[in-house]
Amino acid sequence: MIDRQALRKEFDQLQAAIGRRGEEVIDPGSAWAKMTELDKRQRELKTASETLAADRKRVSKLIGQKKSKGEDASEELAAMGEVSRQAKELDAQARDAEAEFAAALLEIPNALHESVPAGSSEDDNVELRRWGTPRCDEVPAHWDIGTDLGILDFEAGATLAGSRFTVIKGAAARMERALMQFMLDLHADKHGYEEVWVPAIANSKTMTGTGQLPKFADDLYKLEGEDQYLIPTAEVPVTNLYQDTILDAADLPKRHCAYTPCFRREAGSAGRDERGIIRQHQFDKVELVHITTPERALSDLDELVGHAEAVLEALELPYRTVQLCTADIGFSSQLTFDLEVWLPSQNCYREISSCSSFGQFQGRRAGIRYREEGGKPQPVATLNGSGLAIGRTLVAILENYWQEDGSVKVPAVLQPYMGGMNVISK
């Protein structure tokens, strides 16, 4: 969440940075407007409370003086009772205003970094670089390739669970496992991440810490009758490993990689990618998470992006790196770079990894702080990115390595993970 002190000390700059997301974010009916009004109300209540405290002190002193002289203090005692009543009423109002303020604060998106390009849609994202040569011949869609090879079963997935679920079989199932192992080995052994294995279920406090709640409740799968949710990404449990802790600055940055299944209701994606396995309710992903200092955040983000790019280059999959504009960037992010892999059947690049810096936004929400020697604790900066989304990587391999006889070559770097298999055929 945003810095509460900055709301007062740097109001204009903060409003401008958040307002770049769109006028509706700060318009009169927004959570931002409600929050600023509640902040004003809290200051008024504080002033009134301080006035009552002064009155109480004055009246209390007067009562003491009268009693010491044997004089009647009934009038002052009655006044003291009224002051106490008003104080209790103000305290109750202050508690209510604080609760409303805290709730509104959780609805406010992160302030954007000044380098985020302005835009009105994803079409305004800025391409930074490309790697590899896109394949431009006629290639079937991955769902046709997978069905013909008998390795993707969409009917079975629909029978077992409903739409946007798929059964992955045979060589494709083994490739999913191979991709997971390859990515984790690369990040742990070569990029220096500590691998962790975390729960695929998180409680509401954990979901709130990374910004999934309350904003995206409709996209989450909630366990009936429980304060628990299926995680939409490993970012949630891995970042919250340090929930409500104070870290030593000397121990930063902390870098973790993790494989998890991920679950998303995709409530806002009706009609998009209904065929195939690009947008599923359940999918697999390897995630990269950094816990670092604000000063290191942007340089660490460049490094994290490079680690995700290294996966695509090792697999020899053409991709491009783009910077997201103001209209396309996520709620919690201050700066995001997407990696988009080439899909020849669609003749375009599609997102396969999103790498973001959140500044201290998640650190404040999750209570993750660090302390320099002799200094006061302050919120950490956090970053994360997919390294990579495994299902979409499988899609890219099926299409980019497809051969005219209907078979699919296995990328050289994956062959040791697949028992030496070098081609998937009927």
Side-chain angles (χ1 to χ4, degrees), residues 188-223:
D189 297 341
K190 293 188 177 181
H191 296 156
Y193 289 79
E194 180 185 29
E195 184 178 348
V196 292
W197 202 270
V198 291
I201 293 175
N203 58 33
S204 60
K205 180 178 179 180
T206 299
M207 287 288 191
T208 301
T210 41
Q212 279 69 32
L213 288 177
K215 177 71 173 178
F216 302 105
D218 289 344
D219 288 328
L220 301 174
Y221 282 104
K222 188 178 189 301
L223 276 63

PDB file of all heavy atoms in Angstrom, residues 188-223:
ATOM      1  N   ALA A 188      18.273 -21.941  -9.684  1.00  0.00           N
ATOM      2  CA  ALA A 188      18.947 -22.259  -8.423  1.00  0.00           C
ATOM      3  C   ALA A 188      20.458 -22.416  -8.617  1.00  0.00           C
ATOM      4  O   ALA A 188      21.246 -21.885  -7.832  1.00  0.00           O
ATOM      5  CB  ALA A 188      18.348 -23.530  -7.820  1.00  0.00           C
ATOM      6  N   ASP A 189      20.860 -23.125  -9.669  1.00  0.00           N
ATOM      7  CA  ASP A 189      22.276 -23.451  -9.841  1.00  0.00           C
ATOM      8  C   ASP A 189      23.071 -22.338 -10.521  1.00  0.00           C
ATOM      9  O   ASP A 189      24.232 -22.104 -10.179  1.00  0.00           O
ATOM     10  CB  ASP A 189      22.429 -24.735 -10.660  1.00  0.00           C
ATOM     11  CG  ASP A 189      21.821 -25.945  -9.962  1.00  0.00           C
ATOM     12  OD1 ASP A 189      21.625 -25.866  -8.726  1.00  0.00           O
ATOM     13  OD2 ASP A 189      21.541 -26.943 -10.637  1.00  0.00           O
ATOM     14  N   LYS A 190      22.456 -21.637 -11.483  1.00  0.00           N
ATOM     15  CA  LYS A 190      23.199 -20.629 -12.247  1.00  0.00           C
ATOM     16  C   LYS A 190      22.862 -19.190 -11.854  1.00  0.00           C
ATOM     17  O   LYS A 190      23.708 -18.307 -11.957  1.00  0.00           O
ATOM     18  CB  LYS A 190      22.956 -20.827 -13.743  1.00  0.00           C
ATOM     19  CG  LYS A 190      23.550 -22.118 -14.283  1.00  0.00           C
ATOM     20  CD  LYS A 190      23.463 -22.184 -15.803  1.00  0.00           C
ATOM     21  CE  LYS A 190      24.137 -23.450 -16.322  1.00  0.00           C
ATOM     22  NZ  LYS A 190      24.078 -23.524 -17.821  1.00  0.00           N
ATOM     23  N   HIS A 191      21.632 -18.954 -11.430  1.00  0.00           N
ATOM     24  CA  HIS A 191      21.223 -17.584 -11.125  1.00  0.00           C
ATOM     25  C   HIS A 191      21.252 -17.272  -9.630  1.00  0.00           C
ATOM     26  O   HIS A 191      21.005 -16.127  -9.239  1.00  0.00           O
ATOM     27  CB  HIS A 191      19.818 -17.317 -11.692  1.00  0.00           C
ATOM     28  CG  HIS A 191      19.758 -17.398 -13.182  1.00  0.00           C
ATOM     29  ND1 HIS A 191      18.590 -17.675 -13.878  1.00  0.00           N
ATOM     30  CD2 HIS A 191      20.723 -17.241 -14.128  1.00  0.00           C
ATOM     31  CE1 HIS A 191      18.844 -17.686 -15.180  1.00  0.00           C
ATOM     32  NE2 HIS A 191      20.124 -17.441 -15.352  1.00  0.00           N
ATOM     33  N   GLY A 192      21.502 -18.262  -8.808  1.00  0.00           N
ATOM     34  CA  GLY A 192      21.702 -18.010  -7.390  1.00  0.00           C
ATOM     35  C   GLY A 192      20.462 -17.870  -6.534  1.00  0.00           C
ATOM     36  O   GLY A 192      20.521 -17.294  -5.437  1.00  0.00           O
ATOM     37  N   TYR A 193      19.328 -18.412  -6.974  1.00  0.00           N
ATOM     38  CA  TYR A 193      18.099 -18.364  -6.173  1.00  0.00           C
ATOM     39  C   TYR A 193      18.059 -19.533  -5.195  1.00  0.00           C
ATOM     40  O   TYR A 193      18.540 -20.634  -5.503  1.00  0.00           O
ATOM     41  CB  TYR A 193      16.864 -18.426  -7.064  1.00  0.00           C
ATOM     42  CG  TYR A 193      16.617 -17.182  -7.880  1.00  0.00           C
ATOM     43  CD1 TYR A 193      17.345 -16.935  -9.045  1.00  0.00           C
ATOM     44  CD2 TYR A 193      15.672 -16.243  -7.490  1.00  0.00           C
ATOM     45  CE1 TYR A 193      17.128 -15.790  -9.806  1.00  0.00           C
ATOM     46  CE2 TYR A 193      15.435 -15.099  -8.242  1.00  0.00           C
ATOM     47  CZ  TYR A 193      16.175 -14.878  -9.398  1.00  0.00           C
ATOM     48  OH  TYR A 193      15.956 -13.741 -10.137  1.00  0.00           O
ATOM     49  N   GLU A 194      17.451 -19.296  -4.036  1.00  0.00           N
ATOM     50  CA  GLU A 194      17.184 -20.389  -3.117  1.00  0.00           C
ATOM     51  C   GLU A 194      15.817 -20.971  -3.464  1.00  0.00           C
ATOM     52  O   GLU A 194      14.811 -20.263  -3.464  1.00  0.00           O
ATOM     53  CB  GLU A 194      17.174 -19.906  -1.672  1.00  0.00           C
ATOM     54  CG  GLU A 194      16.886 -21.039  -0.691  1.00  0.00           C
ATOM     55  CD  GLU A 194      16.742 -20.571   0.752  1.00  0.00           C
ATOM     56  OE1 GLU A 194      16.323 -19.417   0.966  1.00  0.00           O
ATOM     57  OE2 GLU A 194      17.044 -21.363   1.658  1.00  0.00           O
ATOM     58  N   GLU A 195      15.778 -22.256  -3.744  1.00  0.00           N
ATOM     59  CA  GLU A 195      14.505 -22.902  -4.097  1.00  0.00           C
ATOM     60  C   GLU A 195      13.686 -23.141  -2.840  1.00  0.00           C
ATOM     61  O   GLU A 195      14.211 -23.549  -1.797  1.00  0.00           O
ATOM     62  CB  GLU A 195      14.776 -24.220  -4.810  1.00  0.00           C
ATOM     63  CG  GLU A 195      13.518 -24.923  -5.291  1.00  0.00           C
ATOM     64  CD  GLU A 195      13.823 -26.212  -6.043  1.00  0.00           C
ATOM     65  OE1 GLU A 195      14.994 -26.447  -6.385  1.00  0.00           O
ATOM     66  OE2 GLU A 195      12.866 -26.991  -6.264  1.00  0.00           O
ATOM     67  N   VAL A 196      12.390 -22.870  -2.919  1.00  0.00           N
ATOM     68  CA  VAL A 196      11.471 -23.151  -1.817  1.00  0.00           C
ATOM     69  C   VAL A 196      10.256 -23.885  -2.366  1.00  0.00           C
ATOM     70  O   VAL A 196       9.891 -23.729  -3.527  1.00  0.00           O
ATOM     71  CB  VAL A 196      11.025 -21.861  -1.076  1.00  0.00           C
ATOM     72  CG1 VAL A 196      12.181 -21.246  -0.324  1.00  0.00           C
ATOM     73  CG2 VAL A 196      10.423 -20.854  -2.034  1.00  0.00           C
ATOM     74  N   TRP A 197       9.660 -24.671  -1.505  1.00  0.00           N
ATOM     75  CA  TRP A 197       8.436 -25.403  -1.847  1.00  0.00           C
ATOM     76  C   TRP A 197       7.374 -24.938  -0.870  1.00  0.00           C
ATOM     77  O   TRP A 197       7.522 -25.130   0.333  1.00  0.00           O
ATOM     78  CB  TRP A 197       8.672 -26.910  -1.728  1.00  0.00           C
ATOM     79  CG  TRP A 197       7.706 -27.735  -2.526  1.00  0.00           C
ATOM     80  CD1 TRP A 197       6.513 -28.220  -2.107  1.00  0.00           C
ATOM     81  CD2 TRP A 197       7.875 -28.171  -3.875  1.00  0.00           C
ATOM     82  NE1 TRP A 197       5.906 -28.948  -3.111  1.00  0.00           N
ATOM     83  CE2 TRP A 197       6.724 -28.931  -4.216  1.00  0.00           C
ATOM     84  CE3 TRP A 197       8.856 -28.006  -4.835  1.00  0.00           C
ATOM     85  CZ2 TRP A 197       6.553 -29.520  -5.465  1.00  0.00           C
ATOM     86  CZ3 TRP A 197       8.681 -28.589  -6.079  1.00  0.00           C
ATOM     87  CH2 TRP A 197       7.538 -29.338  -6.386  1.00  0.00           C
ATOM     88  N   VAL A 198       6.341 -24.284  -1.347  1.00  0.00           N
ATOM     89  CA  VAL A 198       5.396 -23.590  -0.465  1.00  0.00           C
ATOM     90  C   VAL A 198       3.975 -24.125  -0.656  1.00  0.00           C
ATOM     91  O   VAL A 198       3.666 -24.764  -1.667  1.00  0.00           O
ATOM     92  CB  VAL A 198       5.408 -22.069  -0.753  1.00  0.00           C
ATOM     93  CG1 VAL A 198       6.727 -21.454  -0.315  1.00  0.00           C
ATOM     94  CG2 VAL A 198       5.153 -21.783  -2.234  1.00  0.00           C
ATOM     95  N   PRO A 199       3.081 -23.833   0.297  1.00  0.00           N
ATOM     96  CA  PRO A 199       1.683 -24.271   0.156  1.00  0.00           C
ATOM     97  C   PRO A 199       1.002 -23.626  -1.052  1.00  0.00           C
ATOM     98  O   PRO A 199       1.322 -22.495  -1.427  1.00  0.00           O
ATOM     99  CB  PRO A 199       1.031 -23.798   1.452  1.00  0.00           C
ATOM    100  CG  PRO A 199       2.153 -23.635   2.419  1.00  0.00           C
ATOM    101  CD  PRO A 199       3.318 -23.198   1.607  1.00  0.00           C
ATOM    102  N   ALA A 200       0.064 -24.354  -1.615  1.00  0.00           N
ATOM    103  CA  ALA A 200      -0.740 -23.826  -2.717  1.00  0.00           C
ATOM    104  C   ALA A 200      -2.037 -23.222  -2.200  1.00  0.00           C
ATOM    105  O   ALA A 200      -2.922 -22.884  -2.989  1.00  0.00           O
ATOM    106  CB  ALA A 200      -1.041 -24.921  -3.737  1.00  0.00           C
ATOM    107  N   ILE A 201      -2.144 -23.067  -0.895  1.00  0.00           N
ATOM    108  CA  ILE A 201      -3.294 -22.452  -0.240  1.00  0.00           C
ATOM    109  C   ILE A 201      -2.769 -21.347   0.674  1.00  0.00           C
ATOM    110  O   ILE A 201      -1.744 -21.525   1.338  1.00  0.00           O
ATOM    111  CB  ILE A 201      -4.095 -23.482   0.579  1.00  0.00           C
ATOM    112  CG1 ILE A 201      -4.758 -24.497  -0.359  1.00  0.00           C
ATOM    113  CG2 ILE A 201      -5.139 -22.820   1.460  1.00  0.00           C
ATOM    114  CD1 ILE A 201      -5.483 -25.625   0.357  1.00  0.00           C
ATOM    115  N   ALA A 202      -3.457 -20.214   0.686  1.00  0.00           N
ATOM    116  CA  ALA A 202      -3.043 -19.091   1.528  1.00  0.00           C
ATOM    117  C   ALA A 202      -4.265 -18.474   2.188  1.00  0.00           C
ATOM    118  O   ALA A 202      -5.367 -18.500   1.632  1.00  0.00           O
ATOM    119  CB  ALA A 202      -2.305 -18.045   0.701  1.00  0.00           C
ATOM    120  N   ASN A 203      -4.067 -17.895   3.374  1.00  0.00           N
ATOM    121  CA  ASN A 203      -5.180 -17.243   4.062  1.00  0.00           C
ATOM    122  C   ASN A 203      -5.352 -15.806   3.579  1.00  0.00           C
ATOM    123  O   ASN A 203      -4.550 -15.296   2.792  1.00  0.00           O
ATOM    124  CB  ASN A 203      -5.000 -17.309   5.582  1.00  0.00           C
ATOM    125  CG  ASN A 203      -3.707 -16.662   6.053  1.00  0.00           C
ATOM    126  OD1 ASN A 203      -3.232 -15.693   5.471  1.00  0.00           O
ATOM    127  ND2 ASN A 203      -3.140 -17.199   7.122  1.00  0.00           N
ATOM    128  N   SER A 204      -6.388 -15.132   4.061  1.00  0.00           N
ATOM    129  CA  SER A 204      -6.716 -13.798   3.553  1.00  0.00           C
ATOM    130  C   SER A 204      -5.637 -12.776   3.911  1.00  0.00           C
ATOM    131  O   SER A 204      -5.371 -11.850   3.135  1.00  0.00           O
ATOM    132  CB  SER A 204      -8.079 -13.340   4.088  1.00  0.00           C
ATOM    133  OG  SER A 204      -8.087 -13.289   5.496  1.00  0.00           O
ATOM    134  N   LYS A 205      -4.999 -12.927   5.070  1.00  0.00           N
ATOM    135  CA  LYS A 205      -3.936 -11.989   5.434  1.00  0.00           C
ATOM    136  C   LYS A 205      -2.789 -12.077   4.439  1.00  0.00           C
ATOM    137  O   LYS A 205      -2.238 -11.057   4.005  1.00  0.00           O
ATOM    138  CB  LYS A 205      -3.429 -12.283   6.852  1.00  0.00           C
ATOM    139  CG  LYS A 205      -2.320 -11.334   7.286  1.00  0.00           C
ATOM    140  CD  LYS A 205      -1.867 -11.605   8.714  1.00  0.00           C
ATOM    141  CE  LYS A 205      -0.741 -10.644   9.104  1.00  0.00           C
ATOM    142  NZ  LYS A 205      -0.257 -10.876  10.489  1.00  0.00           N
ATOM    143  N   THR A 206      -2.436 -13.288   4.070  1.00  0.00           N
ATOM    144  CA  THR A 206      -1.358 -13.491   3.101  1.00  0.00           C
ATOM    145  C   THR A 206      -1.744 -12.943   1.736  1.00  0.00           C
ATOM    146  O   THR A 206      -0.945 -12.287   1.058  1.00  0.00           O
ATOM    147  CB  THR A 206      -1.015 -14.991   3.014  1.00  0.00           C
ATOM    148  OG1 THR A 206      -0.567 -15.434   4.300  1.00  0.00           O
ATOM    149  CG2 THR A 206       0.065 -15.258   1.990  1.00  0.00           C
ATOM    150  N   MET A 207      -2.975 -13.184   1.315  1.00  0.00           N
ATOM    151  CA  MET A 207      -3.458 -12.658   0.037  1.00  0.00           C
ATOM    152  C   MET A 207      -3.484 -11.130   0.032  1.00  0.00           C
ATOM    153  O   MET A 207      -3.190 -10.490  -0.976  1.00  0.00           O
ATOM    154  CB  MET A 207      -4.862 -13.198  -0.259  1.00  0.00           C
ATOM    155  CG  MET A 207      -4.897 -14.658  -0.662  1.00  0.00           C
ATOM    156  SD  MET A 207      -4.245 -14.896  -2.331  1.00  0.00           S
ATOM    157  CE  MET A 207      -4.732 -16.597  -2.621  1.00  0.00           C
ATOM    158  N   THR A 208      -3.820 -10.552   1.171  1.00  0.00           N
ATOM    159  CA  THR A 208      -3.856  -9.091   1.283  1.00  0.00           C
ATOM    160  C   THR A 208      -2.450  -8.513   1.229  1.00  0.00           C
ATOM    161  O   THR A 208      -2.227  -7.441   0.655  1.00  0.00           O
ATOM    162  CB  THR A 208      -4.555  -8.675   2.585  1.00  0.00           C
ATOM    163  OG1 THR A 208      -5.883  -9.203   2.599  1.00  0.00           O
ATOM    164  CG2 THR A 208      -4.629  -7.164   2.715  1.00  0.00           C
ATOM    165  N   GLY A 209      -1.494  -9.233   1.805  1.00  0.00           N
ATOM    166  CA  GLY A 209      -0.123  -8.745   1.865  1.00  0.00           C
ATOM    167  C   GLY A 209       0.482  -8.466   0.514  1.00  0.00           C
ATOM    168  O   GLY A 209       1.264  -7.516   0.352  1.00  0.00           O
ATOM    169  N   THR A 210       0.142  -9.264  -0.500  1.00  0.00           N
ATOM    170  CA  THR A 210       0.703  -9.062  -1.834  1.00  0.00           C
ATOM    171  C   THR A 210      -0.258  -8.367  -2.791  1.00  0.00           C
ATOM    172  O   THR A 210       0.067  -8.160  -3.958  1.00  0.00           O
ATOM    173  CB  THR A 210       1.159 -10.405  -2.443  1.00  0.00           C
ATOM    174  OG1 THR A 210       0.196 -11.425  -2.155  1.00  0.00           O
ATOM    175  CG2 THR A 210       2.504 -10.828  -1.873  1.00  0.00           C
ATOM    176  N   GLY A 211      -1.453  -8.010  -2.304  1.00  0.00           N
ATOM    177  CA  GLY A 211      -2.352  -7.188  -3.106  1.00  0.00           C
ATOM    178  C   GLY A 211      -3.443  -7.921  -3.851  1.00  0.00           C
ATOM    179  O   GLY A 211      -4.205  -7.299  -4.596  1.00  0.00           O
ATOM    180  N   GLN A 212      -3.573  -9.251  -3.659  1.00  0.00           N
ATOM    181  CA  GLN A 212      -4.661  -9.973  -4.330  1.00  0.00           C
ATOM    182  C   GLN A 212      -6.009  -9.631  -3.706  1.00  0.00           C
ATOM    183  O   GLN A 212      -7.026  -9.580  -4.398  1.00  0.00           O
ATOM    184  CB  GLN A 212      -4.415 -11.490  -4.261  1.00  0.00           C
ATOM    185  CG  GLN A 212      -3.449 -12.027  -5.294  1.00  0.00           C
ATOM    186  CD  GLN A 212      -2.029 -11.588  -5.060  1.00  0.00           C
ATOM    187  OE1 GLN A 212      -1.596 -11.406  -3.924  1.00  0.00           O
ATOM    188  NE2 GLN A 212      -1.271 -11.406  -6.134  1.00  0.00           N
ATOM    189  N   LEU A 213      -6.018  -9.419  -2.408  1.00  0.00           N
ATOM    190  CA  LEU A 213      -7.227  -8.995  -1.703  1.00  0.00           C
ATOM    191  C   LEU A 213      -7.034  -7.578  -1.190  1.00  0.00           C
ATOM    192  O   LEU A 213      -5.914  -7.188  -0.854  1.00  0.00           O
ATOM    193  CB  LEU A 213      -7.526  -9.924  -0.523  1.00  0.00           C
ATOM    194  CG  LEU A 213      -8.043 -11.322  -0.851  1.00  0.00           C
ATOM    195  CD1 LEU A 213      -8.206 -12.131   0.441  1.00  0.00           C
ATOM    196  CD2 LEU A 213      -9.365 -11.278  -1.602  1.00  0.00           C
ATOM    197  N   PRO A 214      -8.117  -6.791  -1.164  1.00  0.00           N
ATOM    198  CA  PRO A 214      -9.496  -7.139  -1.541  1.00  0.00           C
ATOM    199  C   PRO A 214      -9.812  -6.939  -3.019  1.00  0.00           C
ATOM    200  O   PRO A 214     -10.867  -7.338  -3.496  1.00  0.00           O
ATOM    201  CB  PRO A 214     -10.322  -6.193  -0.701  1.00  0.00           C
ATOM    202  CG  PRO A 214      -9.463  -4.965  -0.611  1.00  0.00           C
ATOM    203  CD  PRO A 214      -8.041  -5.458  -0.515  1.00  0.00           C
ATOM    204  N   LYS A 215      -8.901  -6.356  -3.778  1.00  0.00           N
ATOM    205  CA  LYS A 215      -9.165  -5.908  -5.140  1.00  0.00           C
ATOM    206  C   LYS A 215      -9.604  -7.032  -6.075  1.00  0.00           C
ATOM    207  O   LYS A 215     -10.515  -6.858  -6.886  1.00  0.00           O
ATOM    208  CB  LYS A 215      -7.906  -5.232  -5.691  1.00  0.00           C
ATOM    209  CG  LYS A 215      -7.991  -4.759  -7.128  1.00  0.00           C
ATOM    210  CD  LYS A 215      -8.889  -3.563  -7.291  1.00  0.00           C
ATOM    211  CE  LYS A 215      -8.807  -3.006  -8.706  1.00  0.00           C
ATOM    212  NZ  LYS A 215      -9.720  -1.866  -8.905  1.00  0.00           N
ATOM    213  N   PHE A 216      -8.968  -8.211  -5.980  1.00  0.00           N
ATOM    214  CA  PHE A 216      -9.192  -9.244  -6.987  1.00  0.00           C
ATOM    215  C   PHE A 216      -9.893 -10.484  -6.433  1.00  0.00           C
ATOM    216  O   PHE A 216      -9.640 -11.600  -6.887  1.00  0.00           O
ATOM    217  CB  PHE A 216      -7.852  -9.630  -7.631  1.00  0.00           C
ATOM    218  CG  PHE A 216      -7.156  -8.458  -8.277  1.00  0.00           C
ATOM    219  CD1 PHE A 216      -6.056  -7.866  -7.680  1.00  0.00           C
ATOM    220  CD2 PHE A 216      -7.635  -7.926  -9.465  1.00  0.00           C
ATOM    221  CE1 PHE A 216      -5.425  -6.774  -8.264  1.00  0.00           C
ATOM    222  CE2 PHE A 216      -7.016  -6.833 -10.056  1.00  0.00           C
ATOM    223  CZ  PHE A 216      -5.907  -6.256  -9.458  1.00  0.00           C
ATOM    224  N   ALA A 217     -10.759 -10.270  -5.475  1.00  0.00           N
ATOM    225  CA  ALA A 217     -11.459 -11.400  -4.847  1.00  0.00           C
ATOM    226  C   ALA A 217     -12.219 -12.236  -5.870  1.00  0.00           C
ATOM    227  O   ALA A 217     -12.290 -13.466  -5.748  1.00  0.00           O
ATOM    228  CB  ALA A 217     -12.413 -10.888  -3.767  1.00  0.00           C
ATOM    229  N   ASP A 218     -12.785 -11.603  -6.888  1.00  0.00           N
ATOM    230  CA  ASP A 218     -13.588 -12.326  -7.876  1.00  0.00           C
ATOM    231  C   ASP A 218     -12.752 -13.250  -8.757  1.00  0.00           C
ATOM    232  O   ASP A 218     -13.301 -14.155  -9.399  1.00  0.00           O
ATOM    233  CB  ASP A 218     -14.351 -11.341  -8.773  1.00  0.00           C
ATOM    234  CG  ASP A 218     -15.481 -10.639  -8.039  1.00  0.00           C
ATOM    235  OD1 ASP A 218     -15.866 -11.122  -6.954  1.00  0.00           O
ATOM    236  OD2 ASP A 218     -15.966  -9.614  -8.542  1.00  0.00           O
ATOM    237  N   ASP A 219     -11.443 -13.036  -8.801  1.00  0.00           N
ATOM    238  CA  ASP A 219     -10.574 -13.879  -9.626  1.00  0.00           C
ATOM    239  C   ASP A 219      -9.995 -15.058  -8.844  1.00  0.00           C
ATOM    240  O   ASP A 219      -9.277 -15.880  -9.410  1.00  0.00           O
ATOM    241  CB  ASP A 219      -9.421 -13.048 -10.203  1.00  0.00           C
ATOM    242  CG  ASP A 219      -9.882 -12.098 -11.291  1.00  0.00           C
ATOM    243  OD1 ASP A 219     -10.835 -12.449 -12.015  1.00  0.00           O
ATOM    244  OD2 ASP A 219      -9.308 -11.009 -11.408  1.00  0.00           O
ATOM    245  N   LEU A 220     -10.296 -15.132  -7.548  1.00  0.00           N
ATOM    246  CA  LEU A 220      -9.702 -16.154  -6.696  1.00  0.00           C
ATOM    247  C   LEU A 220     -10.681 -17.297  -6.423  1.00  0.00           C
ATOM    248  O   LEU A 220     -11.893 -17.102  -6.388  1.00  0.00           O
ATOM    249  CB  LEU A 220      -9.277 -15.538  -5.355  1.00  0.00           C
ATOM    250  CG  LEU A 220      -8.271 -14.391  -5.418  1.00  0.00           C
ATOM    251  CD1 LEU A 220      -8.073 -13.810  -4.015  1.00  0.00           C
ATOM    252  CD2 LEU A 220      -6.942 -14.850  -6.001  1.00  0.00           C
ATOM    253  N   TYR A 221     -10.123 -18.476  -6.200  1.00  0.00           N
ATOM    254  CA  TYR A 221     -10.903 -19.619  -5.737  1.00  0.00           C
ATOM    255  C   TYR A 221     -10.819 -19.665  -4.212  1.00  0.00           C
ATOM    256  O   TYR A 221      -9.745 -19.873  -3.654  1.00  0.00           O
ATOM    257  CB  TYR A 221     -10.358 -20.924  -6.312  1.00  0.00           C
ATOM    258  CG  TYR A 221     -10.749 -21.179  -7.746  1.00  0.00           C
ATOM    259  CD1 TYR A 221      -9.835 -20.997  -8.778  1.00  0.00           C
ATOM    260  CD2 TYR A 221     -12.030 -21.613  -8.082  1.00  0.00           C
ATOM    261  CE1 TYR A 221     -10.179 -21.233 -10.097  1.00  0.00           C
ATOM    262  CE2 TYR A 221     -12.396 -21.858  -9.396  1.00  0.00           C
ATOM    263  CZ  TYR A 221     -11.462 -21.673 -10.399  1.00  0.00           C
ATOM    264  OH  TYR A 221     -11.814 -21.909 -11.702  1.00  0.00           O
ATOM    265  N   LYS A 222     -11.963 -19.461  -3.541  1.00  0.00           N
ATOM    266  CA  LYS A 222     -12.013 -19.482  -2.076  1.00  0.00           C
ATOM    267  C   LYS A 222     -12.532 -20.830  -1.607  1.00  0.00           C
ATOM    268  O   LYS A 222     -13.480 -21.382  -2.180  1.00  0.00           O
ATOM    269  CB  LYS A 222     -12.916 -18.361  -1.553  1.00  0.00           C
ATOM    270  CG  LYS A 222     -12.877 -18.192  -0.037  1.00  0.00           C
ATOM    271  CD  LYS A 222     -13.768 -17.031   0.404  1.00  0.00           C
ATOM    272  CE  LYS A 222     -13.554 -16.714   1.889  1.00  0.00           C
ATOM    273  NZ  LYS A 222     -13.831 -17.859   2.766  1.00  0.00           N
ATOM    274  N   LEU A 223     -11.900 -21.374  -0.565  1.00  0.00           N
ATOM    275  CA  LEU A 223     -12.362 -22.625   0.014  1.00  0.00           C
ATOM    276  C   LEU A 223     -13.614 -22.363   0.842  1.00  0.00           C
ATOM    277  O   LEU A 223     -13.602 -21.499   1.732  1.00  0.00           O
ATOM    278  CB  LEU A 223     -11.272 -23.249   0.884  1.00  0.00           C
ATOM    279  CG  LEU A 223     -10.215 -24.091   0.168  1.00  0.00           C
ATOM    280  CD1 LEU A 223      -9.411 -23.248  -0.810  1.00  0.00           C
ATOM    281  CD2 LEU A 223      -9.289 -24.781   1.164  1.00  0.00           C
TER     282      LEU A 223
END
